[in-house]
Amino acid sequence: MRAEIIAVGTELLLGQIANTNAQFLSQKLAEIGVGVYFHTVVGDNSERLRQVIALASGRSDLVILTGGLGPTQDDLTKETVAAHVGVGLETNQEAMERIEQFFLQRGIVMTENNRKQALVLSGSHVFSNDFGMAPGMAIRHDSCTFVLLPGPPSELYPMVDRYVMPYLTDLLPEKQVFHSHVLRFYGIGESALEERLLDLIEKQDNPTIAPYAKEFEVTLRLTARAATAEEGEALILPVEEEIRKRVGEYVYGMGEDSSLHAVLVSELKKRNETIACAESCTGGTVASLITSVPGSSSVFQGGVVCYTNDVKNRLLDVPEEVLNTDGAVSRQTAQLLAENVRAKLGATYGVSVTGVAGPDPSEGKPVGLVYVGIAGEGMPTVVKELRLAGRRQAIVGRAAKFALFYALQMQKER
Amino acid sequence: MRAEIIAVGTELLLGQIANTNAQFLSQKLAEIGVGVYFHTVVGDNSERLRQVIALASGRSDLVILTGGLGPTQDDLTKETVAAHVGVGLETNQEAMERIEQFFLQRGIVMTENNRKQALVLSGSHVFSNDFGMAPGMAIRHDSCTFVLLPGPPSELYPMVDRYVMPYLTDLLPEKQVFHSHVLRFYGIGESALEERLLDLIEKQDNPTIAPYAKEFEVTLRLTARAATAEEGEALILPVEEEIRKRVGEYVYGMGEDSSLHAVLVSELKKRNETIACAESCTGGTVASLITSVPGSSSVFQGGVVCYTNDVKNRLLDVPEEVLNTDGAVSRQTAQLLAENVRAKLGATYGVSVTGVAGPDPSEGKPVGLVYVGIAGEGMPTVVKELRLAGRRQAIVGRAAKFALFYALQMQKER
């Protein structure tokens, strides 16, 4: 199947927002093996939208449009597709009730133009909008299927996951399911990971193997096409086993939403343990990652951002002698920070990060040199030395993630 | 002038990255009054790229292509535009020398395919690549100008700012300059700001007025078209004055890169003052924003992430009685945290944030209730109460920015 994605909205052409909807949809379509050949962005302009739709319908089997389903006169997507397909618009009762409810609950008088949002193409398959007002819809015309979806990501993403993907999977010539495992890595770069798995990636077919790097973490998605989820699982397992044999030491978790900090918080919770951190060069990033996880308050004791030597000394008892002799960026300081923050805050684990984030060297030490210390109740403190590349924000981001990763490793070994 | 942007790269169609280059270029073109009518993404495929170029050249005066200038066989942009325009490719000496230097400096042997990166369209105007190897270029054909730019944002952005924008401004029919002021706001939402300025925004012409919201801050860009920068300035000033009359209390800075934390760090530096913070619900976010500014080490003393009552009490001496009676989320606690972190860390200012980030209420207090305390040497401590809306991450982000904003206000009043 040949697919393309059309995003409708002048705000995209003005650069006010990026077309992240096209990225999201492309990922989803790739997962079920549908090839995307074009993305187009067009403004809220009837004639240009008409041209884009005509062009797309001539070259693609599946045309997904996002945006332009709202209540204002600028919103033209439904009207333009209806004219191309040659059908009218009709009110969808479920959508109309949902819209009325929305205004009723908020005690606001509904303006008339909101009725427009409940209109759908006659004869179309309707997708409920569980997080907004305008429903999505799909309609076939000649050999082409048009799918119309709302623009706001908070409405689009759940609609796609819940309703559109099952609909599209049904359209595929062979009835099959797509079954995925997502492996999450830390401590290995995307290119190094690819290199170690190159032969597997090159001969990939079923399951497909897709590496993806984001926010200093790398994930690998294995997706199998099969008649059932069980058959898919059977196809994935030997490949996953081979991958784990080669790079298993870097795998820290599984699944789409399991960031390093989320996994750490959930592991600590399981074992009723707590953590505290002392951060110099990361300046609060480790703490803010941990506390970004809802419910982290039961495992996160707190932290000290000891940016100056004075604070390292005053709040965390690193002796001036150590700071003057070994320096703030040293194994010794990292060890003392981890041990003392753990003891002072009464946590199971103490994590410390001290290093040179740049742009300038410090204490004669190079940009990118970072020490991470992990102290645990009843275990010897471990200090890791890192040499990180990149600009200031990348060094800070990577150092913080390394601290989380080592804390997780340490916890497993304990 | 009618413009469109074509991004070339299969990684975009697979959803591995978002087309942020199109967003960036659209913003730049909007600033000089050039209308963008389409964005297109096409894969590394010669025939489809050819079709897209032919279509674009028929409907636009300016076609900007990004990506596909690299050394591999997948990189087809130059070859395909050259065939369309009917010119050959030739080696650009400056680019060739730069590429050879790159490998020489790193002590790596240059593979032959890298020579391809120094090829440019015969007769084209060449844009140097100061941060990479492949140069950009522009060539006119019939009534259409093609601009070819590298895909990596770290190469594209500076090339556009330094070389492409002056080139495009020269193409504009009237010789004019575009002169901008960017006003930065905090403490007022985008829609409230628009409402207060609606009549100005509706009758805007020269200067144009463009509000933009990002990371919990709002900016307003005033752009005047004029023969000279001085004339542009004269057009902007009365409009800016009117805006400041209405919403001046929320303006905290000017300019593209002046985030709230950058302005705070630079103001503190100017006056040789320092700051320290005590964070409960923001969990390190205030500290990490401040330390994200290069050179912040001279003004940031450090911070305590006092997530638990235990840490508020142990490290920052908030009496148990206060925590039990008034609670961790209270004016009293905010005041003591600000004062004590200032005293303990020896800073000019102490900033505290304590509140309920959610998802669940705490101490019987609602999600979104936040207290920000600001203590300063020789001045009465101020505590502000906030009622913030949104999910956990939005509440944390907004609360942290409010803390920075109040610190800045306090510093001005001191």
PDB file of all heavy atoms in Angstrom, chain B residues 237-256:
ATOM      1  N   LEU B 237       8.726  51.806  17.187  1.00  0.00           N
ATOM      2  CA  LEU B 237       8.702  52.405  18.529  1.00  0.00           C
ATOM      3  C   LEU B 237       7.312  52.803  19.050  1.00  0.00           C
ATOM      4  O   LEU B 237       6.968  52.433  20.170  1.00  0.00           O
ATOM      5  CB  LEU B 237       9.688  53.563  18.609  1.00  0.00           C
ATOM      6  CG  LEU B 237      11.150  53.119  18.802  1.00  0.00           C
ATOM      7  CD1 LEU B 237      12.074  54.305  18.937  1.00  0.00           C
ATOM      8  CD2 LEU B 237      11.289  52.162  19.991  1.00  0.00           C
ATOM      9  N   PRO B 238       6.495  53.527  18.272  1.00  0.00           N
ATOM     10  CA  PRO B 238       5.180  53.890  18.820  1.00  0.00           C
ATOM     11  C   PRO B 238       4.301  52.671  19.141  1.00  0.00           C
ATOM     12  O   PRO B 238       3.554  52.676  20.111  1.00  0.00           O
ATOM     13  CB  PRO B 238       4.543  54.748  17.717  1.00  0.00           C
ATOM     14  CG  PRO B 238       5.385  54.561  16.507  1.00  0.00           C
ATOM     15  CD  PRO B 238       6.733  54.134  16.950  1.00  0.00           C
ATOM     16  N   VAL B 239       4.403  51.625  18.312  1.00  0.00           N
ATOM     17  CA  VAL B 239       3.598  50.417  18.554  1.00  0.00           C
ATOM     18  C   VAL B 239       4.096  49.730  19.826  1.00  0.00           C
ATOM     19  O   VAL B 239       3.315  49.324  20.691  1.00  0.00           O
ATOM     20  CB  VAL B 239       3.685  49.452  17.345  1.00  0.00           C
ATOM     21  CG1 VAL B 239       2.848  48.203  17.614  1.00  0.00           C
ATOM     22  CG2 VAL B 239       3.215  50.144  16.081  1.00  0.00           C
ATOM     23  N   GLU B 240       5.417  49.652  19.959  1.00  0.00           N
ATOM     24  CA  GLU B 240       5.981  49.020  21.153  1.00  0.00           C
ATOM     25  C   GLU B 240       5.577  49.798  22.404  1.00  0.00           C
ATOM     26  O   GLU B 240       5.241  49.204  23.440  1.00  0.00           O
ATOM     27  CB  GLU B 240       7.505  48.950  21.038  1.00  0.00           C
ATOM     28  CG  GLU B 240       8.128  48.284  22.241  1.00  0.00           C
ATOM     29  CD  GLU B 240       9.631  48.083  22.118  1.00  0.00           C
ATOM     30  OE1 GLU B 240      10.138  47.981  20.974  1.00  0.00           O
ATOM     31  OE2 GLU B 240      10.302  48.053  23.170  1.00  0.00           O
ATOM     32  N   GLU B 241       5.589  51.120  22.292  1.00  0.00           N
ATOM     33  CA  GLU B 241       5.213  51.955  23.432  1.00  0.00           C
ATOM     34  C   GLU B 241       3.776  51.674  23.860  1.00  0.00           C
ATOM     35  O   GLU B 241       3.483  51.526  25.049  1.00  0.00           O
ATOM     36  CB  GLU B 241       5.360  53.427  23.026  1.00  0.00           C
ATOM     37  CG  GLU B 241       5.526  54.380  24.184  1.00  0.00           C
ATOM     38  CD  GLU B 241       5.824  55.793  23.660  1.00  0.00           C
ATOM     39  OE1 GLU B 241       6.624  55.913  22.715  1.00  0.00           O
ATOM     40  OE2 GLU B 241       5.206  56.744  24.170  1.00  0.00           O
ATOM     41  N   GLU B 242       2.886  51.564  22.870  1.00  0.00           N
ATOM     42  CA  GLU B 242       1.486  51.274  23.174  1.00  0.00           C
ATOM     43  C   GLU B 242       1.351  49.905  23.849  1.00  0.00           C
ATOM     44  O   GLU B 242       0.594  49.732  24.802  1.00  0.00           O
ATOM     45  CB  GLU B 242       0.662  51.330  21.876  1.00  0.00           C
ATOM     46  CG  GLU B 242      -0.813  50.970  22.010  1.00  0.00           C
ATOM     47  CD  GLU B 242      -1.583  51.907  22.943  1.00  0.00           C
ATOM     48  OE1 GLU B 242      -1.202  53.093  23.041  1.00  0.00           O
ATOM     49  OE2 GLU B 242      -2.560  51.422  23.581  1.00  0.00           O
ATOM     50  N   ILE B 243       2.102  48.931  23.349  1.00  0.00           N
ATOM     51  CA  ILE B 243       2.055  47.581  23.935  1.00  0.00           C
ATOM     52  C   ILE B 243       2.555  47.615  25.375  1.00  0.00           C
ATOM     53  O   ILE B 243       1.947  47.050  26.279  1.00  0.00           O
ATOM     54  CB  ILE B 243       2.887  46.596  23.081  1.00  0.00           C
ATOM     55  CG1 ILE B 243       2.196  46.369  21.732  1.00  0.00           C
ATOM     56  CG2 ILE B 243       3.101  45.269  23.816  1.00  0.00           C
ATOM     57  CD1 ILE B 243       3.014  45.611  20.716  1.00  0.00           C
ATOM     58  N   ARG B 244       3.656  48.323  25.597  1.00  0.00           N
ATOM     59  CA  ARG B 244       4.211  48.396  26.953  1.00  0.00           C
ATOM     60  C   ARG B 244       3.250  49.123  27.904  1.00  0.00           C
ATOM     61  O   ARG B 244       3.179  48.813  29.085  1.00  0.00           O
ATOM     62  CB  ARG B 244       5.563  49.103  26.940  1.00  0.00           C
ATOM     63  CG  ARG B 244       6.700  48.217  26.423  1.00  0.00           C
ATOM     64  CD  ARG B 244       8.024  48.958  26.484  1.00  0.00           C
ATOM     65  NE  ARG B 244       9.099  48.182  25.929  1.00  0.00           N
ATOM     66  CZ  ARG B 244       9.877  47.351  26.642  1.00  0.00           C
ATOM     67  NH1 ARG B 244       9.673  47.207  27.930  1.00  0.00           N
ATOM     68  NH2 ARG B 244      10.853  46.679  26.062  1.00  0.00           N
ATOM     69  N   LYS B 245       2.511  50.101  27.347  1.00  0.00           N
ATOM     70  CA  LYS B 245       1.547  50.807  28.181  1.00  0.00           C
ATOM     71  C   LYS B 245       0.481  49.827  28.701  1.00  0.00           C
ATOM     72  O   LYS B 245       0.023  49.910  29.826  1.00  0.00           O
ATOM     73  CB  LYS B 245       0.884  51.928  27.347  1.00  0.00           C
ATOM     74  CG  LYS B 245       0.332  53.077  28.196  1.00  0.00           C
ATOM     75  CD  LYS B 245      -0.334  54.127  27.314  1.00  0.00           C
ATOM     76  CE  LYS B 245       0.681  54.966  26.525  1.00  0.00           C
ATOM     77  NZ  LYS B 245      -0.013  55.830  25.518  1.00  0.00           N
ATOM     78  N   ARG B 246       0.107  48.887  27.833  1.00  0.00           N
ATOM     79  CA  ARG B 246      -0.968  47.971  28.211  1.00  0.00           C
ATOM     80  C   ARG B 246      -0.491  46.772  29.037  1.00  0.00           C
ATOM     81  O   ARG B 246      -1.163  46.343  29.965  1.00  0.00           O
ATOM     82  CB  ARG B 246      -1.650  47.417  26.953  1.00  0.00           C
ATOM     83  CG  ARG B 246      -2.320  48.495  26.136  1.00  0.00           C
ATOM     84  CD  ARG B 246      -3.171  47.859  25.062  1.00  0.00           C
ATOM     85  NE  ARG B 246      -3.529  48.816  24.039  1.00  0.00           N
ATOM     86  CZ  ARG B 246      -4.260  48.507  22.981  1.00  0.00           C
ATOM     87  NH1 ARG B 246      -4.706  47.276  22.834  1.00  0.00           N
ATOM     88  NH2 ARG B 246      -4.552  49.423  22.083  1.00  0.00           N
ATOM     89  N   VAL B 247       0.631  46.185  28.637  1.00  0.00           N
ATOM     90  CA  VAL B 247       1.044  44.923  29.279  1.00  0.00           C
ATOM     91  C   VAL B 247       2.521  44.944  29.678  1.00  0.00           C
ATOM     92  O   VAL B 247       3.158  43.897  29.801  1.00  0.00           O
ATOM     93  CB  VAL B 247       0.774  43.714  28.335  1.00  0.00           C
ATOM     94  CG1 VAL B 247      -0.710  43.406  28.267  1.00  0.00           C
ATOM     95  CG2 VAL B 247       1.333  43.978  26.939  1.00  0.00           C
ATOM     96  N   GLY B 248       3.034  46.153  29.894  1.00  0.00           N
ATOM     97  CA  GLY B 248       4.472  46.304  30.186  1.00  0.00           C
ATOM     98  C   GLY B 248       4.925  45.585  31.442  1.00  0.00           C
ATOM     99  O   GLY B 248       6.070  45.149  31.532  1.00  0.00           O
ATOM    100  N   GLU B 249       4.011  45.425  32.392  1.00  0.00           N
ATOM    101  CA  GLU B 249       4.401  44.769  33.646  1.00  0.00           C
ATOM    102  C   GLU B 249       4.847  43.322  33.431  1.00  0.00           C
ATOM    103  O   GLU B 249       5.529  42.746  34.266  1.00  0.00           O
ATOM    104  CB  GLU B 249       3.240  44.824  34.635  1.00  0.00           C
ATOM    105  CG  GLU B 249       2.109  43.878  34.285  1.00  0.00           C
ATOM    106  CD  GLU B 249       0.712  44.423  34.602  1.00  0.00           C
ATOM    107  OE1 GLU B 249       0.122  45.126  33.742  1.00  0.00           O
ATOM    108  OE2 GLU B 249       0.224  44.136  35.694  1.00  0.00           O
ATOM    109  N   TYR B 250       4.423  42.712  32.308  1.00  0.00           N
ATOM    110  CA  TYR B 250       4.779  41.317  32.045  1.00  0.00           C
ATOM    111  C   TYR B 250       6.030  41.180  31.169  1.00  0.00           C
ATOM    112  O   TYR B 250       6.486  40.079  30.902  1.00  0.00           O
ATOM    113  CB  TYR B 250       3.621  40.588  31.356  1.00  0.00           C
ATOM    114  CG  TYR B 250       2.337  40.622  32.148  1.00  0.00           C
ATOM    115  CD1 TYR B 250       1.282  41.456  31.775  1.00  0.00           C
ATOM    116  CD2 TYR B 250       2.189  39.826  33.282  1.00  0.00           C
ATOM    117  CE1 TYR B 250       0.112  41.491  32.509  1.00  0.00           C
ATOM    118  CE2 TYR B 250       1.020  39.859  34.019  1.00  0.00           C
ATOM    119  CZ  TYR B 250      -0.015  40.697  33.630  1.00  0.00           C
ATOM    120  OH  TYR B 250      -1.166  40.721  34.361  1.00  0.00           O
ATOM    121  N   VAL B 251       6.540  42.305  30.666  1.00  0.00           N
ATOM    122  CA  VAL B 251       7.730  42.234  29.803  1.00  0.00           C
ATOM    123  C   VAL B 251       8.953  42.060  30.680  1.00  0.00           C
ATOM    124  O   VAL B 251       9.190  42.844  31.582  1.00  0.00           O
ATOM    125  CB  VAL B 251       7.886  43.524  28.973  1.00  0.00           C
ATOM    126  CG1 VAL B 251       9.192  43.478  28.174  1.00  0.00           C
ATOM    127  CG2 VAL B 251       6.701  43.723  28.046  1.00  0.00           C
ATOM    128  N   TYR B 252       9.727  40.994  30.450  1.00  0.00           N
ATOM    129  CA  TYR B 252      10.915  40.826  31.279  1.00  0.00           C
ATOM    130  C   TYR B 252      12.194  40.958  30.485  1.00  0.00           C
ATOM    131  O   TYR B 252      13.279  40.995  31.044  1.00  0.00           O
ATOM    132  CB  TYR B 252      10.890  39.491  32.011  1.00  0.00           C
ATOM    133  CG  TYR B 252      11.189  38.330  31.109  1.00  0.00           C
ATOM    134  CD1 TYR B 252      12.508  37.988  30.798  1.00  0.00           C
ATOM    135  CD2 TYR B 252      10.176  37.593  30.528  1.00  0.00           C
ATOM    136  CE1 TYR B 252      12.786  36.949  29.944  1.00  0.00           C
ATOM    137  CE2 TYR B 252      10.454  36.555  29.679  1.00  0.00           C
ATOM    138  CZ  TYR B 252      11.764  36.247  29.392  1.00  0.00           C
ATOM    139  OH  TYR B 252      12.036  35.225  28.524  1.00  0.00           O
ATOM    140  N   GLY B 253      12.100  41.016  29.182  1.00  0.00           N
ATOM    141  CA  GLY B 253      13.334  41.091  28.414  1.00  0.00           C
ATOM    142  C   GLY B 253      13.048  41.288  26.938  1.00  0.00           C
ATOM    143  O   GLY B 253      11.899  41.351  26.498  1.00  0.00           O
ATOM    144  N   MET B 254      14.118  41.410  26.169  1.00  0.00           N
ATOM    145  CA  MET B 254      14.026  41.633  24.730  1.00  0.00           C
ATOM    146  C   MET B 254      14.961  40.639  24.037  1.00  0.00           C
ATOM    147  O   MET B 254      15.993  40.281  24.576  1.00  0.00           O
ATOM    148  CB  MET B 254      14.534  43.036  24.368  1.00  0.00           C
ATOM    149  CG  MET B 254      13.850  44.185  25.052  1.00  0.00           C
ATOM    150  SD  MET B 254      12.437  44.770  24.093  1.00  0.00           S
ATOM    151  CE  MET B 254      13.231  45.264  22.542  1.00  0.00           C
ATOM    152  N   GLY B 255      14.589  40.250  22.817  1.00  0.00           N
ATOM    153  CA  GLY B 255      15.524  39.495  21.995  1.00  0.00           C
ATOM    154  C   GLY B 255      15.246  38.010  21.963  1.00  0.00           C
ATOM    155  O   GLY B 255      14.595  37.455  22.838  1.00  0.00           O
ATOM    156  N   GLU B 256      15.761  37.396  20.896  1.00  0.00           N
ATOM    157  CA  GLU B 256      15.485  36.011  20.530  1.00  0.00           C
ATOM    158  C   GLU B 256      15.941  35.016  21.596  1.00  0.00           C
ATOM    159  O   GLU B 256      15.236  34.084  21.925  1.00  0.00           O
ATOM    160  CB  GLU B 256      16.236  35.725  19.223  1.00  0.00           C
ATOM    161  CG  GLU B 256      15.719  34.576  18.431  1.00  0.00           C
ATOM    162  CD  GLU B 256      14.341  34.894  17.840  1.00  0.00           C
ATOM    163  OE1 GLU B 256      14.265  35.706  16.907  1.00  0.00           O
ATOM    164  OE2 GLU B 256      13.370  34.309  18.339  1.00  0.00           O
TER     165      GLU B 256
END
